[in-house]
Amino acid sequence: MTAVLIDCDPGIDDALALALAVASPELDVRAVTCVAGNRPVAVTATNARRLLDLFGRPDIPVYAGAARPLLYPQARTNLVHGEDGLGGVALGVDARQVVADHAADALAHLLLSPLGADLTIVAMGPLTNLALAEIRHPGLLARARSIHVMGGAAHCPGNVAPAAEFNFWADPAAAHVVMTAGARLEVFPLDVTGQAAMTPAWLAALAAQPTRSAQALAAMLAVYGEKDPLLHDACPVAALLRPQLFSGQAGRLEVDWRPGPDEGRSRLHQEGEVNAMLYTGLDTDGLLSLMAERLARLP
Ligand code: BDR
Ligand code: CA
């Protein structure tokens, strides 16, 4: 079993990624940490708590973390996932308190523990919590077995600016800190997540499942603000389960972190020291089959 910490900002596609993770017996989800991203951190943390309860995993601890990016006074949020981040869908579970400790401390605690070298981090939101933990404990992120990141756009247009993807744009300095931390990085940019489109038939099959989890996820997807809903955040989880679904190349990924029109832009260089494996190819049918099979296991 792979020990995993998930850092996220639910977010409808984050919800699907959390569902995939907890429905997969190959993964041992040790903790979920939350960051300001799609919505403010108080909302994303409450959403993560409620989602895990919905999926039958009240035992997984949830920690709230950074409320704003490293360089800016306000969180950069969006309304793609609705005001409450989950499309206004009533989950039918109580909003329990999350753990009081800060997400960056929880992350550091796990990475510094004997489990640290076996821990895989999956980051599906702005990278502020990871960057804060690395700044507090230099060398920390390099301890992880690997860090799977959904973020960036290498050879395709961005989704919030001509060249910038949301997670990197929402905290470009944090993305820079993580890309330069000397960690084993596996990055899933829009180049690959843009191929992870849910088809109408797949969505209809999900909506036909009678479980409370499938019903809630289908209701969220019915109001997802993306034209062709994409499984962005499920990609870095799916790669832990079925690496053969993804193809890419190693290279040097840099993020433009300085404020200005290019901030949040990611560039892949073939020269210089390699810092990441960057995925650009996907077996979409394979991903959709995996998702369907795993989501059917949830309550
Ligand atoms: C990323 O931005 C968020 O809206 C999604 O949850 C995903 O993590 C895609 O650019
Ligand atoms: Ca996300």
Side-chain angles (χ1 to χ4, degrees):
M1 259 213 282
T2 303
V4 176
L5 178 147
I6 296 176
D7 188 74
C8 59
D9 61 336
I12 295 171
D13 64 319
D14 301 73
L16 285 149
L18 286 170
L20 174 62
V22 301
S24 295
E26 302 93 327
L27 304 183
D28 174 14
V29 181
R30 293 299 184 103
V32 170
T33 55
C34 296
V35 65
N38 287 315
R39 303 304 300 139
V41 68
V43 178
T44 62
T46 305
N47 286 349
R49 178 69 277 153
R50 292 167 68 224
L51 286 164
L52 292 170
D53 289 356
L54 176 75
F55 301 149
R57 293 304 305 271
D59 55 305
I60 299 175
V62 173
Y63 302 84
R68 45 161 279 200
L70 296 184
L71 295 183
Y72 298 109
Q74 300 277 330
R76 292 178 158 183
T77 60
N78 66 67
L79 286 172
V80 173
H81 309 253
E83 192 69 48
D84 72 347
L86 297 177
V89 173
L91 300 186
V93 290
D94 294 337
R96 286 196 290 131
Q97 291 285 333
V98 304
V99 184
D101 298 349
H102 193 281
D105 292 337
L107 182 60
H109 182 75
L110 268 179
L111 279 176
L112 293 170
S113 76
L115 171 75
D118 291 323
L119 188 70
T120 293
I121 297 171
V122 182
M124 330 170 160
L127 292 167
T128 323
N129 288 335
L130 275 66
L132 285 174
E134 175 66 22
I135 290 166
R136 173 76 180 84
H137 304 275
L140 182 81
L141 296 180
R143 294 176 66 90
R145 177 171 155 182
S146 69
I147 302 183
H148 282 207
V149 174
M150 190 281 128
H155 308 294
C156 67
N159 59 359
V160 285
E165 177 279 332
F166 176 75
N167 288 341
F168 280 13
W169 172 85
D171 195 343
H176 172 71
V177 169
V178 173
M179 293 304 129
T180 54
R184 284 170 281 276
L185 293 169
E186 306 214 7
V187 180
F188 299 78
L190 290 179
D191 307 64
V192 66
T193 70
Q195 299 168 49
M198 288 166 270
T199 62
W202 188 92
L203 291 165
L206 179 68
Q209 279 183 36
T211 63
R212 66 178 197 223
S213 300
Q215 286 300 304
L217 290 169
M220 288 175 209
L221 285 166
V223 292
Y224 197 9
E226 276 193 334
K227 192 159 55 66
D228 299 311
L230 295 168
L231 289 160
H232 296 289
D233 291 341
C235 288
V237 177
L240 288 169
L241 304 166
R242 296 274 189 278
Q244 65 274 22
L245 297 178
F246 297 85
S247 58
Q249 67 280 343
R252 173 156 203 83
L253 191 66
E254 291 182 353
V255 182
D256 286 349
W257 58 271
R258 291 174 182 80
D262 278 345
E263 68 180 320
R265 176 181 185 145
S266 45
R267 301 172 199 264
L268 184 68
H269 303 281
Q270 291 311 331
E271 73 284 356
E273 206 182 320
V274 166
N275 67 343
M277 180 70 197
L278 188 103
Y279 292 97
T280 50
L282 172 66
D283 171 353
T284 305
D285 290 344
L287 175 67
L288 292 181
S289 303
L290 174 69
M291 286 294 297
E293 186 242 309
R294 295 302 163 94
L295 297 189
R297 300 178 183 205
L298 291 172

